Amino acid sequence: SGAVYVFKDNGTRLALYAYLKPDNPGDSYFFGSAVDIDGEHIVVGAPEEGSNQTYVTASGSFSITAPGAGAVYVFKDNGTHVRQYAYLKADNANQGDKFGSSVAVDNVTVLIGAPEEDGAQTEISTEGTRDDSAPESGAAYVFRIQ
């Protein structure tokens, strides 16, 4: 399922500071395949996460109906401990997209790669329509975390 280990310099050596797991761990999610950190935010990709959820929540979904759709988890460090803060999903999540294969965070902006997303659209439709006519063409998503 994967894990992320966070080490901090305590002045004399690097010491384990946090052991991160998602709220919804699962077999073969590959949690930790992509990781970035900026300030208090740690962003972790799980490109094989299998939920068909298509919205952002404070905690993860447990419905496993879209294997390999992928997910990204945002953790927040308050200075004494690290906790999961958000669970990010693409609005057009689909089986095999591998959302979370790459991640980057800069302050409150998160960039997420989904290299096997199938859409031919050049933007997310708000009308709920999908155009999956470009198999594995890939996509990048930008989120703002508050």
Side-chain angles (χ1 to χ4, degrees):
S1 63
V4 172
Y5 298 83
V6 180
F7 290 84
K8 281 194 173 181
D9 187 344
N10 68 8
T12 58
R13 64 182 178 87
L14 289 176
L16 182 63
Y17 177 71
Y19 171 73
L20 307 181
K21 294 289 275 186
D23 285 348
N24 66 332
D27 291 348
S28 301
Y29 281 5
F30 293 91
F31 175 83
S33 292
V35 178
D36 196 18
I37 186 169
D38 185 46
E40 64 186 9
H41 298 111
I42 302 169
V43 178
V44 181
E48 294 291 333
E49 190 267 355
S51 168
N52 69 341
Q53 185 166 313
T54 57
Y55 50 89
V56 175
T57 65
S59 63
S61 168
F62 297 93
S63 167
I64 310 302
T65 57
V72 170
Y73 302 82
V74 178
F75 292 83
K76 207 169 193 179
D77 180 357
N78 72 4
T80 58
H81 61 274
V82 180
R83 297 239 190 265
Q84 185 174 322
Y85 177 72
Y87 168 77
L88 306 179
K89 294 290 284 190
D91 289 350
N92 61 342
N94 204 11
Q95 180 174 332
D97 287 348
K98 299 198 182 343
F99 177 85
S101 290
S102 57
V103 298
V105 60
D106 183 23
N107 195 7
V108 295
T109 303
V110 178
L111 178 63
I112 301 166
E116 295 188 29
E117 197 276 329
D118 299 329
Q121 298 168 224
T122 57
E123 61 185 38
I124 299 293
S125 171
T126 58
E127 299 164 8
T129 58
R130 295 177 65 101
D131 177 358
D132 285 340
S133 64
E136 298 179 4
S137 57
Y141 299 81
V142 178
F143 289 82
R144 264 189 106 70
I145 49 180
Q146 303 295 324

